[in-house]
Amino acid sequence: MSNIKVNITELLQVLDDTPPEHNIMLIGNHGIGKSEILTKYYSDKGMRVVALFLGQMSDPGDLIGLPHMNEDTGKTDFMPPYWFPIDGKPIVLFLDELNRARPEILQTIMDLALNRKLAGRELPEGSRVISAVNAGDQYQLTDLDPALVSRFNIVVFQPTVQEWLLWAKKSSLDPRVISFIEENPFWLDKDPDRKENADTGLEKTPDRRAWKRVSDVLKGVKEISSSKLKTISSIVGAKGASVFYKSLSERKLITGKDVLEDFEKVKTVLEKYALHDLSVINDSIFRVLETGDIKGSKKIAGNLVAYFTFLTGKKKEAAAHFANLYVQQTYSSAVQFIAVNAPQVSAEMIQYIQGI
């Protein structure tokens, strides 16, 4: 697929840059947060978001409203559907499952996408039309007319693992789920051992929405019983649940919070870690700083300085990874914390990147 690919940060920038009269089509897998991200983004701007699940509509009347006789003109009009903004305020119309819609529904969408009209009724000025589609052989989809596709700016939405982990941290998901995905990021969206195009639609596999459900199941639970494991299996599949349970039983990686609370205490263990493990810890440190999940700026800054000095002295590839996280846009609050409370680390990281 040759269309532009964006993560969450880049998607929000695209939404900022796109004029209201342009339509946007998001392409992405299920369970990656398309509707949640759009709803929050526009709700924060004071706009009402109307989500219509086109795959569930059986008749154009579900979209354009029901016909009735206009007693004044003697002609047939269409009553506005429940979602139509009759107050004149602009809305964001989110057309989910566009390529699951029946052909007759798609014909109705043509006029909406081109003229911003439904049965002759115009959307308020400033309204936006955004659609979402799935792509892949594992979905039962309707082929979209090229004329309809041409009415949309197309964006492939691929949020990163780091963005999901940051969201998970801010949303207080169970630390065991967060730690597992930190160490096994390839399990976030699928079974990594599964062959391409092998999905029958009947076998349960992991996705981002599923790991949130696992966190819900584990809330307030200290030990994972056999019955709980079966419940988790129903959410992420038997293999996903088995790998998750085994990971929790066998190994616990040092966390970013451990480093920031007392670097000297964990230094000896860190010296044994390979690049992958240290990269996981680097990301964890930035997430802790981003969410403010630790108190005591002076103590944190001191341990941060000691940790980066350790990396530059003995683990140079991990130091490069840490510095790269600093210059990315994912952890803006963490970058601000480092710049204010540990300026020497900030300066060293910039120099380190320039020297690579």
Side-chain angles (χ1 to χ4, degrees), residues 1-263:
M1 187 174 292
S2 58
N3 296 309
I4 181 175
K5 299 179 181 179
V6 300
N7 58 31
I8 294 176
T9 301
E10 293 165 336
L11 172 62
L12 299 183
Q13 187 61 58
V14 168
L15 297 179
D16 278 340
D17 293 341
T18 303
E21 60 271 17
H22 288 203
N23 307 317
I24 297 175
M25 180 184 294
L26 298 181
I27 301 175
N29 293 332
H30 63 280
I32 60 175
K34 296 185 291 291
S35 59
E36 292 88 345
I37 291 168
L38 289 173
T39 298
K40 184 179 188 308
Y41 174 80
Y42 285 111
S43 295
D44 289 346
K45 292 180 177 294
M47 294 186 71
R48 182 165 72 99
V49 179
V50 177
L52 300 178
F53 296 93
L54 302 185
Q56 300 176 10
M57 294 184 175
S58 59
D59 185 89
D62 296 338
L63 184 63
I64 64 177
L66 299 176
H68 76 110
M69 177 68 72
N70 187 317
E71 296 180 357
D72 294 330
T73 64
K75 297 181 179 181
T76 298
D77 289 338
F78 284 87
M79 299 177 63
Y82 73 93
W83 57 266
F84 197 88
I86 58 177
D87 57 3
K89 295 181 180 180
I91 65 169
V92 178
L93 188 57
F94 180 52
L95 306 175
D96 204 0
E97 302 179 339
L98 181 68
N99 57 343
R100 293 178 183 267
R102 294 171 179 266
E104 55 269 28
I105 300 294
L106 292 176
Q107 292 301 317
T108 304
I109 297 298
M110 291 280 281
D111 189 32
L112 176 64
L114 180 61
N115 302 311
R116 299 301 177 91
K117 290 183 178 181
L118 278 176
R121 187 180 294 106
E122 292 189 18
L123 290 175
E125 185 177 353
S127 293
R128 292 180 176 270
V129 177
I130 301 176
S131 68
V133 301
N134 297 129
D137 294 337
Q138 68 269 41
Y139 301 108
Q140 295 180 354
L141 305 174
T142 302
D143 290 335
L144 297 179
D145 190 313
L148 175 60
V149 174
S150 71
R151 288 163 167 76
F152 289 85
N153 302 345
I154 298 180
V155 176
V156 179
F157 181 45
Q158 292 185 345
T160 66
V161 175
Q162 288 77 14
E163 288 173 327
W164 185 87
L165 285 167
L166 181 57
W167 167 84
K169 187 75 172 177
K170 290 181 177 179
S171 302
S172 300
L173 263 64
D174 190 278
R176 289 165 289 188
V177 172
I178 295 175
S179 295
F180 174 73
I181 299 300
E182 281 180 337
E183 297 183 38
N184 306 274
F186 36 81
W187 273 97
L188 178 59
D189 292 305
K190 61 180 181 178
D191 175 349
D193 297 326
R194 192 178 189 82
K195 293 182 179 180
E196 292 296 325
N197 304 322
D199 190 3
T200 65
L202 299 176
E203 185 177 345
K204 192 66 176 174
T205 57
D207 58 46
R208 298 172 186 228
R209 184 185 297 130
W211 288 114
K212 166 63 169 62
R213 293 173 180 169
V214 171
S215 176
D216 294 340
V217 168
L218 292 178
K219 187 175 182 180
V221 176
K222 292 184 178 181
E223 300 293 334
I224 301 178
S225 64
S226 58
S227 61
K228 278 282 188 277
L229 189 58
K230 289 181 180 179
T231 302
I232 294 172
S233 297
S234 73
I235 301 171
V236 296
K239 186 174 180 180
S242 176
V243 173
F244 175 65
Y245 182 77
K246 183 178 179 181
S247 175
L248 297 182
S249 303
E250 291 183 348
R251 181 168 178 259
K252 183 180 183 300
L253 197 67
I254 287 172
T255 68
K257 192 172 183 178
D258 295 332
V259 174
L260 294 175
E261 286 184 336
D262 193 343
F263 168 73

Side-chain angles (χ1 to χ4, degrees), residues 304-322:
L304 190 62
V305 171
Y307 176 67
F308 189 70
T309 300
F310 160 75
L311 293 183
T312 55
K314 296 185 176 182
K315 306 285 185 178
K316 295 189 182 301
E317 288 183 315
H321 175 263
F322 191 91

